[in-house]
Every structure is written in structure tokens, then in C-alpha cells.
């Protein structure tokens, strides 16, 4: 029996799991928050000293947690840029997260290459404010001295792998991480250095993209470090999703991703063509409004929490007595309506009750995510079951409505550190390949996530009618906004 570890450096904390390399059973785990102060007014910082990630890693691994571990995998927050000078020192703090200050830079880049379609064909995605390529444009425009000193570009998981290996000359990344940068194409499996130069103003060193089962290197103590990947890809790998599976994540905003055999080119910009951690592809569609819709409804109705909102919604019936909520409270990305607002339709005297509005909030959120699923289905992506993630997936009103509105089986996995588990599974794969016991094309088979399975059953026809009601209101209010 081998022992491997997976490390996930999220925006707020580091989590480490130590697993049996054969079964994936979690043997022990560690956790530490990042020593990073929130900016005034709350929220997450846009700039972070990467040393904070190392300090958190050291604390999470304390107490002999990694004793006996033969290999470790690393995942970390996506959309991060760590700019280094020619000596390998950080030029400025890492730029992380959904960075609104880069919105103008995103528009600049779209125009500079000749429009959305040109970007979609070049790298499989249209620049957004959070993406590394857009942050480079912002850096060149706002901090030209720092941009001029930048000689090497890494992402968070690349930088952590490089540090664990003792800062070798060779710097690596994986397809999953590279595919989110905006300057690597999943279709051609190659960088577009011209896009880096367009954004930053000059050429830089980019990390070597290694295969899913390759090792980035071995520490002097003999610990094998696998390729690493982005947090999204690691979580998908930890869940064990494959062809026919989609993952719907319920955060303040929502995301829908599915495993597919080829990259998708989408000039509308609704699909981001990521690569996954296995050699396949992971197209992602994002909605700006998921759980924030529920929180807004709870505040409007004066209920204290989402559990109470769910309880209230369960007193209504499918269709919410004709109420339809288009949940575009922050504008929307899917459909692409950045400057719109939400719409509440179907108001009648008999429908103006708290329970119907509560139910409409749940149905509106889920129908918005079903729209995102249909974007993928419309491009030939097979979806036979949906994994539903996030704390809101546990709410009875979500579980009651989701299978019929999505039109497929819904799996609600027990909460677990899936990104860290996926990183550990990657480490087990690299270890097995290095020892000659595993095929580089076939990852180790680990026990699946413990989950609740929900079927649409007899509610399918009712759910599809509710969905059609939502689509009709969307088409009346925003004609042709969602062409799948």
C-alpha cells in the first residue's frame, strides 16, 4: 500500500488530505487559513503575497502529517498570476480572483485581436476580467515598470510546485491550468506567445506543459511531485466524473461544466474551453446569479436564512402559481446580458404570497442553470447525470426541483475536499506510472463519492412544463438572448 497526499490552496485556506494510493481512502488531513487580511469593506484581496500560501501550507502539514507520503499533488485557485523577474523573485504580489479592475483591459484585448470570434478560435475563450491574460494587460497599462521587469509567468499551483521542488530551472504546469490563462489553446495544445506579448508588451518565459500522469519532479528527500492542476479540474477529478457527467456548482454565482472529448469553440463567449486533468476537455458555462438569488429572496421576504426560505418554498407547488423569476440580479453572462436586471413575471392576486415567491426564486435559479446546461447540450455535450455541489444543494427545495428541471438524474455528493482528493489521485497516478504499475492513459480507479441520488421520476413532465414557462418569459423579455 502506498500513501499519497493532495494539497488544495484555495483563496482562503490550504487543505491537505493523505490517502491510500490504491483505494483513495482518506487516512488523515490538515487545514490552515491563509494569513491574509481582508481589504476594508470585506471581500477577498486582489493582491496576495505568495509567501502566505507557503506559510499556510507549512501549518497545514504540521504534526508529521506527510510522514510516509511518497507523492503529492497540488491544486490551487484558478485565475491567478504570479509574475517573476529573471532571478525568480516576485515582481509584485500575485494577482488573484475575479478582478473587476481588469474589465477595461478585457474589452481592450477583445478589440486588439479583432473581436470575440477571433479569441474563441485562438484559445477557446473570450477574455474576461478574471483571466490571467487580462490581468497582464492591466499590469502593462497600470504598472508599466513591474510589467517591464516580468520575465516569467506562473499560476498559483505552478508556483507552489516549483517551491516544493526547491525552485529548479525547469518550471512546469499542466493542461488544465494552462487552459484557463487565455494564452494557451486546448485545441492545438500549445501556447500563443503573441497573445502574451499583445497583453504584456513583451515576451516572457512560460512553464512547460506536462502530461496528466507526468511528474513535475522529485524533491531531494525523494518525494514525487505530480503535475498539479487548477482547483476546478482537481475537484472534477476528485469526484471521478467522466463522459456523460456534468457538475453544477451552486455558489453566489453558478457554474456548469462537463467532460467532453474535444475542445469547443464558442464565439459568444458563454463557453470557456478548459482542459481537464486527464487528457480530456472540460467546457464550462458560468451564470452570475445562483445562491445570491436565494439570498435576495430571503431578504425580501424577511426570512432569516436559506433553510427557512426552502421551508417556505416547499409550501408552494411546481410552477409557483404562475410566478416566474428571471434571476438576472447582477446582470448575466448566460445569456450575455451584462447590463440587465431581474424580472418577476406572472403576478396575479392569487400568486402574491410569500411561499410562491420563495418557490419562484428556487425555480428561477435552477432554470438559469438549466439554460447553462442547454448551452453545452446544444454543442453536442452528452449529459446523462448532474453532480450538484455547494451548501445549497442540501436544501429540500433544491433537491425537490432540480432533477425535473434539469431533466436528468441528479447526484448530491456528501461535502468533502474534492479538490484535495483529486490532487491526491493525480499524485497516485504519477507515482504508479513512475513505478510501472499504472498506464499513463488510465488514472487509478478510486472509490466514488458517497452521494444521494435523485431521479426526476413522475415529476419530469411537470418540471419540463415549469422550464418551458421560464423559457417563454425569457424569450418575451430578452428575445434571442440565448441562442444555443
Amino acid at each position: 500500500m502506498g500513501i499519497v497526499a493532495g494539497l488544495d490552496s484555495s483563496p482562503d485556506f490550504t487543505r491537505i488530505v493523505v490517502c491510500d494510493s490504491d483505494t483513495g481512502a482518506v487516512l488523515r488531513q490538515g487545514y490552515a487559513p491563509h494569513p491574509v487580511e481582508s481589504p476594508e469593506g470585506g471581500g477577498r484581496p486582489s493582491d496576495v503575497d505568495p509567501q502566505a500560501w507557503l506559510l499556510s501550507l507549512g501549518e497545514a502539514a504540521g504534526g508529521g502529517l506527510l510522514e510516509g507520503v511518497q507523492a503529492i499533488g497540488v491544486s490551487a485557485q484558478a485565475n491567478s498570476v504570479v509574475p517573476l523577474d529573471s532571478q525568480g523573485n516576485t515582481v509584485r504580489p500575485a494577482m488573484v480572483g475575479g478582478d473587476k479592475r481588469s474589465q477595461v483591459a478585457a474589452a481592450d484585448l477583445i478589440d486588439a485581436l479583432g473581436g470575440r470570434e477571433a479569441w474563441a478560435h485562438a484559445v477557446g475563450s473570450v477574455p474576461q476580467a478574471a483571466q490571467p491574460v487580462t490581468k497582464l494587460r492591466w499590469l502593462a497599462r497600470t504598472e508599466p515598470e513591474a510589467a517591464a521587469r516580468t520575465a516569467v509567468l506562473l499560476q498559483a499551483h505552478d508556483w507552489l510546485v516549483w517551491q516544493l521542488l526547491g525552485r529548479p530551472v525547469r518550471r512546469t504546469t499542466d493542461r488544465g491550468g494552462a487552459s484557463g490563462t487565455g494564452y494557451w489553446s486546448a485545441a492545438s495544445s500549445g501556447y500563443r506567445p503573441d497573445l502574451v506579448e499583445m497583453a504584456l508588451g513583451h515576451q516572457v518565459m512560460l512553464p512547460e506543459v506536462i502530461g496528466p500522469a507526468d511528474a513535475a519532479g522529485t524533491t531531494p528527500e525523494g518525494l514525487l511531485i505530480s503535475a498539479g492542476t487548477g482547483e476546478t479540474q482537481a475537484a472534477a477529478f476528485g469526484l471521478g466524473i467522466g463522459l456523460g457527467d456534468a457538475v453544477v456548482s451552486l455558489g453566489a454565482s453558478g457554474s456548469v461544466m462537463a467532460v467532453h472529448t474535444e475542445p469547443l469553440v464558442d464565439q459568444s463567449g458563454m463557453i470557456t474551453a478548459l482542459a481537464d486533468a486527464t487528457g480530456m476537455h472540460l467546457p464550462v458555462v458560468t451564470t452570475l446569479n445562483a445562491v445570491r438569488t436565494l439570498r435576495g429572496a430571503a431578504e425580501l421576504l424577511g426570512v432569516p436564512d436559506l433553510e427557512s426560505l426552502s421551508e417556505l418554498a416547499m409550501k408552494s407547488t411546481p410552477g409557483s402559481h404562475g410566478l416566474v423569476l428571471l434571476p438576472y440580479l447582477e446582470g448575466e453572462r448566460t445569456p450575455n446580458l451584462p447590463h440587465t436586471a431581474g424580472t418577476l413575471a406572472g403576478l396575479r392576486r392569487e400568486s402574491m404570497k410569500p411561499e410562491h415567491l420563495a418557490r419562484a426564486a428556487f425555480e428561477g435559479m435552477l432554470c438559469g442553470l438549466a439554460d447553462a446546461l442547454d448551452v453545452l447540450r446544444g454543442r453536442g455535450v452528452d449529459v446523462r447525470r448532474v453532480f450538484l455541489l455547494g451548501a445549497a444543494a442540501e436544501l429540500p427545495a433544491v433537491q425537490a426541483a432540480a432533477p425535473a428541471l434539469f431533466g436528468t438524474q441528479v447526484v448530491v455528493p456528501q461535502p468533502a475536499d474534492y479538490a484535495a482528493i483529486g490532487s491526491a489521485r493525480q499524485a497516485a497516478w504519477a507515482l504508479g506510472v513512475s513505478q510501472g504499475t499504472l498506464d499513463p492513459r488510465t488514472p487509478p480507479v478510486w472509490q466514488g463519492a458517497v452521494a444521494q441520488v435523485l431521479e426526476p421520476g413522475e415529476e419530469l413532465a411537470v418540471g419540463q412544463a415549469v422550464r418551458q414557462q421560464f423559457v417563454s418569459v425569457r424569450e418575451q423579455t430578452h428575445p434571442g438572448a440565448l441562442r444555443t
Side-chain angles (χ1 to χ4, degrees):
M1 181 185 80
I3 299 176
V4 294
L7 183 159
D8 176 43
S9 183
S10 84
D12 300 315
F13 56 79
T14 298
R15 217 178 270 283
I16 301 174
V17 296
V18 176
C19 300
D20 178 322
S21 62
D22 295 325
T23 67
V26 177
L27 307 175
R28 49 189 188 263
Q29 46 196 314
Y31 166 88
H34 291 325
V36 174
E37 290 184 17
S38 293
E40 286 183 30
R44 287 174 175 155
S46 299
D47 290 340
V48 175
D49 182 350
Q51 293 299 324
W53 306 334
L54 279 185
L55 290 168
S56 174
L57 189 167
E59 190 180 335
L65 183 78
L66 298 180
E67 198 171 317
V69 167
Q70 296 164 276
I72 189 167
V74 176
S75 66
Q77 55 191 299
N79 295 324
S80 53
V81 176
V82 186
L84 304 178
D85 64 19
S86 54
Q87 273 70 52
N89 301 313
T90 49
V91 167
R92 69 176 313 282
M95 295 179 282
V96 298
D99 208 334
K100 288 190 174 177
R101 63 189 172 178
S102 305
Q103 284 173 338
V104 173
D108 282 351
L109 284 174
I110 291 169
D111 290 343
L113 194 64
R116 304 171 75 84
E117 188 172 357
W119 277 97
H121 282 287
V123 289
S125 64
V126 178
Q128 298 143 24
Q131 272 187 308
V133 71
T134 308
K135 291 179 167 126
L136 297 182
R137 180 70 154 206
W138 177 89
L139 186 64
R141 292 283 186 268
T142 315
E143 300 178 10
E145 289 182 15
R149 287 173 50 220
T150 299
V152 182
L153 291 176
L154 298 179
Q155 293 193 85
H157 78 84
D158 310 334
W159 187 84
L160 284 165
V161 165
W162 183 58
Q163 295 290 330
L164 288 171
L165 289 170
R167 297 164 58 106
V169 172
R170 181 190 190 219
R171 300 175 182 92
T172 62
T173 190
D174 85 308
R175 296 169 66 255
S179 66
T181 59
Y183 45 80
W184 184 87
S185 164
S188 67
S189 293
Y191 282 117
R192 287 289 304 266
D194 57 315
L195 300 182
V196 176
E197 186 168 359
M198 178 191 292
L200 190 63
H202 61 92
Q203 293 288 348
V204 293
M205 292 269 301
L206 298 168
E208 177 189 344
V209 181
I210 61 177
D214 290 346
T218 306
T219 67
E221 298 76 30
L223 180 67
L224 183 140
I225 314 285
S226 63
T229 195
E231 209 167 29
T232 299
Q233 290 86 351
F237 198 42
L239 280 167
I241 68 167
L243 289 171
D245 292 334
V247 177
V248 174
S249 295
L250 301 177
S253 55
S255 70
V256 177
M257 61 183 175
V259 179
H260 196 47
T261 51
E262 58 190 28
L264 297 178
V265 173
D266 174 53
Q267 66 195 56
S268 74
M270 286 190 291
I271 298 175
T272 299
L274 298 181
D276 79 348
T278 72
M280 301 282 276
H281 296 271
L282 199 66
V284 179
V285 179
T286 303
T287 69
L288 294 182
N289 301 279
V291 176
R292 62 167 42 102
T293 305
L294 305 183
R295 296 204 185 284
E299 288 171 18
L300 182 65
L301 293 168
V303 298
D305 50 41
L306 297 188
E307 288 72 22
S308 303
L309 186 72
S310 172
E311 196 176 318
L312 188 60
M314 293 299 282
K315 294 176 182 173
S316 181
T317 53
S320 311
H321 273 242
L323 279 189
V324 175
L325 177 65
L326 300 183
Y328 308 150
L329 309 183
E330 297 279 323
E332 190 46 85
R333 267 192 64 189
T334 309
N336 185 26
L337 299 165
H339 306 300
T340 193
T343 302
L344 185 62
L347 283 168
R348 297 179 184 277
R349 178 64 191 88
E350 62 270 20
S351 66
M352 295 177 74
K353 293 183 178 176
E355 60 267 32
H356 302 324
L357 179 55
R359 177 95 189 192
F362 281 95
E363 289 179 345
M365 174 188 76
L366 291 169
C367 283
L369 290 160
D371 277 351
L373 266 174
D374 282 351
V375 170
L376 294 178
R377 285 172 167 145
R379 297 299 307 278
V381 178
D382 184 25
V383 178
R384 294 191 297 274
R385 64 176 177 172
V386 168
F387 285 75
L388 199 56
L389 302 185
E394 304 288 331
L395 296 172
V398 169
Q399 297 193 1
L405 293 177
F406 292 160
T408 192
Q409 182 187 84
V410 170
V411 179
V412 184
Q414 276 189 2
D417 304 316
Y418 291 110
I421 290 167
S423 300
R425 189 178 174 209
Q426 187 194 63
W429 194 7
L431 181 66
V433 168
S434 75
Q435 294 172 339
T437 57
L438 287 178
D439 188 319
R441 294 163 299 183
T442 310
V445 178
W446 279 11
Q447 57 201 19
V450 178
Q452 210 177 342
V453 179
L454 310 168
E455 299 285 354
E458 296 175 1
E459 296 294 311
L460 182 59
V462 175
Q464 294 309 290
V466 172
R467 178 99 170 79
Q468 189 52 52
Q469 185 175 259
F470 178 91
V471 170
S472 296
V473 172
R474 171 172 41 74
E475 275 301 302
Q476 287 165 14
T477 314
H478 305 287
L482 194 75
R483 292 192 175 89
T484 58

